[in-house]
Amino acid sequence: MTQGASTLDELTMGRAVELESLVDRKALGELAESARKLFGVSLRIFSKSGALLADASVRPSLYAYLEEFKPGQAAVASTISAVKTVDLEDDPERELTCVSGAHYVVKGINYDGRLLGRLILGPYRDPGDAGPSPELSKLEAPLDAARLAREWTELPGVSRERARRRSPLAGRWT
């Protein structure tokens, strides 16, 4: 009597496999949307190749405001790029902070020791943070402090610890 295949290599006969070939995108999208509704924080799931597999996100009004100015647009784009490309090979979970002070949790989706994709939770604000980051003052843009404060409070408020602990797929798939 032989046991069934249990490793990714056995299941795929040693061929490279993509996350998108292992999941039902519609079901994954429903999972992501349910998690967004439960936690109130945007959630995206990407394959290792960068394909967007699930998107349950709401564009923050803070980012829309920052993008009204070229320096703000560049800062937001830089953050989004960093979140999508942060190296997860050695560390399956990373936290990144935007110039605005908003936070992201990026978790690797691993199976059988292989990184297959990434889950991105955010942006959100930690309720313990005093407000938008002082780094915003370094942007050469005529930002209105009162509007920044107002837009900041519109971000979902979740403690950084809870965001790391409670995000879907919180454990590593090994």
Side-chain angles (χ1 to χ4, degrees), residues 63-123:
Y63 283 15
Y65 175 54
L66 292 174
E67 289 176 336
E68 290 178 15
F69 310 97
K70 280 206 179 282
Q73 191 176 46
V76 170
S78 176
T79 297
I80 292 169
S81 176
V83 167
K84 287 181 178 180
T85 60
V86 66
D87 183 12
L88 298 171
E89 292 291 341
D90 296 327
D91 187 357
E93 178 179 313
R94 302 285 300 272
E95 182 180 331
L96 287 90
T97 303
C98 176
V99 69
S100 69
H103 304 284
Y104 291 85
V105 172
V106 184
K107 294 179 179 268
I109 300 172
N110 296 288
Y111 184 81
D112 199 26
R114 293 185 191 176
L115 180 66
L116 299 180
R118 69 184 55 225
L119 176 144
I120 300 171
L121 187 70

